[in-house]
Structure formats: structure tokens, C-alpha cells
Amino acid sequence: MTSGSSPHPPPVGEARPDPRADEVLKCLRSVIDPELGDTIVDLGMVRAVTISDDDVTVDVALTIAACPLRAQIERDVRGHVAALDWVRGVEVRVASMDAEERAAVMARARWKAREDAPETAVPARTRVLAIASGKGGVGKSSVTVNLGVALARRGFTVGILDADIWGFSVPRLLGMEGDVEARQGKMVPLEQTVGAGLVRVLSMGFLADEEQAIMWRGLVLNRAVQQFLQDAHWGDLDYLLIDLPPGTGDIQMGLARLLPRTELLVVTTPPVAAQKVAARAADMARRGYLRVAGVIENMSDFTCEHGTTYALFGSGGGERLAHSLGVPLVGSIPLHPDMAAAGDAGTPVAAAGGELADVFAEMARTIAEDVAPLIEAEGCSARLVQRVEAAVARGEAEAG
């Protein structure tokens, strides 16, 4: 026997397990079921991974055939596996769980319910999207505000929570000012009608002077965000956009605990250095079992008045980051002087018409139709437990 050889080689004709299957499973641990805030691997939804040459087939079992998140889970599985360098093609085969598998998911759901986050004032049906970046200066707040306005123009009711406690800028970008009123001991967000929709906003900027330094850290910061989520009359919301501070600190970790159904949109700029830093924000999210929903590239190509386009900061950065994370590129926002001017004037470009408005309108469409479509209340975690319990009960009745 040669050194290092296996003492028990597989019988002749028996295929050796492909070690790349473990790599695929590790990759699939980044695919989060938004209803339960857990990975599809830990939930037992991945039945098998089959590799033929460089083609991968993933068998996924859903609780029911008509799962409202089926398309999203398929898309996330395909995107994450395709991001592996050696993968040539990905096939996702979807089936329904049997009674035993549903019972296991039910047990997991009950366990997660015991570990559940504190109750917040954000409705269960609301899709929560945190706008994150690994560093400052990428235009994250401008993206948050204009994306919120673009979603409202589609007729949605959108909440914007300015969680950048130190560097709040949302009120100025929206041209909103005023005092936050209290109703029954809870804060009432300021409102702004946008087209057929509505934007509701809470920010430290309504509670402190814009030039006043907020010298908080740790638990005090988390408590401020917790109050914005729990002690506020948000009302019925379709989307809640959370403008996170740069980095991966206290507020980001606190949000993962307070709202585990939060999904991240990662903002980057074209340079490679910016992508590396932005990837840390995605890594933070996945360590907290938050789904990374997509990437937005800001400050992409600049087109001068003569029609010549210049890639001042490089090109393709957003696409590269999205591919490496296995998520879609939601959109690329060109470098345009109107963005800064509109922010200073408090008139978001998404509401003004023109090239930038069209870009944000398309991103809002992508989010509403593909990346984070609204789910009916029955798709939420508590209802999922009830649905699984009912399916198990039916299965047991049929077996009896």
C-alpha cells in the first residue's frame, strides 16, 4: 500500500463522492429562508447535491408546492452556486416535503420562535431592506432616499428609518423638517406624499440639531434604533428601508437581533477596494443569518455634455461584487452632478424626472417584482408554523 492511500478504497465501479459537494453545501449556507431567518441547509431543505463534470444539480424540498418564496429561493440557490469559479451550469430541482420532513421543519420553526426577536412596531407583512456599505462616502443615504421615493411612486407606502445615528442626513436629502410628535407614548414618523404613494420617516435629525455631535456608542446606539423600531407608530408599511451607518458595528449587529427578517442591499462603487470593503457588510449579514438581497453600484460611468462616457472610478465593480456574492445586481447609478445638487436642495432626483429618475424607477421595479416582492401575511414566520402544523396534521390523518 502506498503512503497516504485509503485502507478501504471504494469497490470497483463505485463512484467516489465528489469533494466539491461540500463546497456547494457551504455556499448554500448563505441562502436564507426569509420567513424563518435560517439557512436552507440547516432547515433540511437541501436534499441532494449532484455534480457531473462542472455542472451542479441541487434538489430542494419546500414545505408546500405553492410556497410563496419558491422563485426567490430558486434564484438565490442558482446565483450562489453559479458564483463558484469552477461551476459551468446550475440546475435547481424543486419538490415538496413529505410529512416527516415537514415535521422536522415545524420543530425547527418552534425552536426559532422561542429564540424570536423582540416584538417591533413594523408590520409582519412589511419587507425590510437595510441599505448597507462597508465604508462611508459611497452615497448610501442618497440611494436609500431615492429608492424609497421611487418605490412610493409605484404606489407603495414606504418607511425610511435613518439608523445612521451619528451621520444622519435623510431629513435634509428629503427636504423634511419638523418635530416628532408622540401619540400614546410612541413616536409618529413624519410623512410625505409621493405620487400615489407615501413616505414615512424617522431620523435622529428630527430630534437633534444637524450640527450637533451625537456622542453615543454601544448599548446607547442600539437602544436608539430599538426605540425607532418598537416605540413608533409606523402604521401599515409595504417596505421599510433602513439607512445603516458604514461598517459592521453595534447597530448592524443589533438590527440582526431586533429584525432577523431584514434583508441587505449592499452599496458599492466601481473600484476594487470598495468592493472588498462592501463584501464585509455582506459577510456580517450572513453571519447574522440575514439574506443579502442584491448589490447596487453607485457613481458608475460619467457622461459629459458632449455625450462622451468616462469610467472615472473604473467599471464593472458592482457586477463583480454581485457575482462573488451570488446575488443580483439591482442597478448601476451613473455619476451625475444632479445627485449632489438635488440632495443639497432636498428634492430627490427620483421624483424629478430625467435620467436618474429612470434609473431609480427601474431599480424600484426590480425590487418590487424580482428581488423583494411583497409577501402576504400568511407567508410570515408565525403563519408558516401554523401552515406546517396543519400539513403535518393532514398527513397524519391520511396515514391513519
Side-chain angles (χ1 to χ4, degrees):
M1 180 182 297
T2 60
S3 175
S5 62
S6 171
H8 301 291
V12 176
E14 181 177 322
R16 292 177 181 270
D18 193 321
R20 295 177 298 177
D22 291 335
E23 187 179 358
V24 173
L25 281 175
K26 181 179 179 181
C27 173
L28 291 175
R29 288 187 181 276
S30 295
V31 179
I32 309 299
D33 184 321
E35 291 181 321
L36 288 178
D38 209 346
T39 78
I40 63 171
V41 175
D42 291 338
L43 287 169
M45 297 170 66
V46 180
R47 281 181 171 170
V49 173
T50 307
I51 301 175
S52 176
D53 294 328
D54 292 331
D55 295 319
V56 180
T57 300
V58 182
D59 288 286
V60 177
L62 303 179
T63 53
I64 56 173
C67 176
L69 293 174
R70 172 173 177 162
Q72 176 178 308
I73 291 173
E74 284 187 61
R75 184 168 56 248
D76 286 354
V77 169
R78 188 173 290 106
H80 281 73
V81 176
L84 296 173
D85 292 338
W86 55 267
V87 172
R88 180 176 59 190
V90 182
E91 180 184 2
V92 182
R93 298 190 301 206
V94 178
S96 299
M97 291 183 174
D98 58 28
E100 184 177 349
E101 289 172 318
R102 285 194 296 266
V105 171
M106 179 181 66
R108 181 87 182 180
R110 286 169 173 161
W111 177 81
K112 291 290 287 186
R114 288 198 301 270
E115 301 294 317
D116 215 0
E119 184 177 351
T120 70
V122 181
R125 66 177 290 273
T126 302
R127 209 72 190 253
V128 182
L129 298 173
I131 316 301
S133 66
K135 67 186 196 67
V138 299
K140 174 179 48 57
S141 297
S142 295
V143 170
T144 302
V145 164
N146 283 285
L147 195 55
V149 168
L151 285 167
R153 292 186 70 187
R154 294 182 66 87
F156 294 117
T157 299
V158 182
I160 297 180
L161 169 56
D162 190 354
D164 193 348
I165 303 298
W166 297 310
F168 54 83
S169 57
V170 167
R172 176 174 50 81
L173 294 172
L174 280 168
M176 297 178 70
E177 58 183 17
D179 297 325
V180 175
E181 298 180 358
R183 183 192 308 154
Q184 298 174 337
K186 293 190 175 185
M187 294 177 285
V188 180
L190 275 67
E191 293 187 353
Q192 187 176 91
T193 300
V194 179
L198 185 68
V199 173
R200 296 187 179 127
V201 184
L202 273 181
S203 170
M204 199 68 197
F206 297 136
L207 304 174
D209 187 90
E210 189 171 15
E211 298 180 359
Q212 176 184 346
I214 307 298
M215 302 174 69
W216 295 346
R217 58 186 298 183
L219 293 175
V220 179
L221 277 176
N222 277 329
R223 179 55 184 159
V225 176
Q226 185 174 349
Q227 283 189 297
F228 283 146
L229 292 171
Q230 293 181 323
D231 301 333
H233 288 283
W234 283 107
D236 189 28
L237 294 177
D238 295 310
Y239 289 93
L240 174 63
L241 304 186
I242 303 178
D243 181 21
L244 290 176
T248 55
D250 295 315
I251 290 180
Q252 287 83 348
M253 292 186 289
L255 183 63
R257 181 184 64 83
L258 287 166
L259 271 179
R261 58 192 168 98
T262 301
E263 304 167 77
L264 248 68
L265 290 173
V266 181
V267 179
T268 187
T269 50
V272 172
Q275 298 158 47
K276 297 296 184 183
V277 177
R280 297 174 199 160
D283 182 60
M284 175 276 300
R286 287 170 175 171
R287 287 174 184 266
Y289 296 102
L290 303 183
R291 174 182 177 247
V292 180
V295 168
I296 295 174
E297 183 185 67
N298 194 22
M299 305 181 196
S300 62
D301 295 350
F302 168 74
T303 302
C304 73
E305 59 185 3
H306 302 105
T308 304
T309 297
Y310 301 92
L312 298 179
F313 300 125
S315 61
E319 188 68 55
R320 287 192 297 272
L321 179 61
H323 177 75
S324 68
L325 297 177
V327 300
L329 178 64
V330 177
S332 292
I333 306 164
L335 184 63
H336 199 292
D338 285 355
M339 182 72 84
D344 290 342
T347 55
V349 293
E355 176 190 1
L356 289 174
D358 291 342
V359 170
F360 280 104
E362 178 58 22
M363 286 199 295
R365 185 204 64 76
T366 299
I367 287 171
E369 296 181 7
D370 300 323
V371 173
L374 295 182
I375 305 169
E376 294 302 320
E378 66 177 5
C380 298
S381 298
R383 294 295 184 89
L384 176 64
V385 175
Q386 297 172 8
R387 191 174 70 221
V388 174
E389 287 177 338
V392 172
R394 286 196 300 271
E396 291 173 346
E398 292 171 0

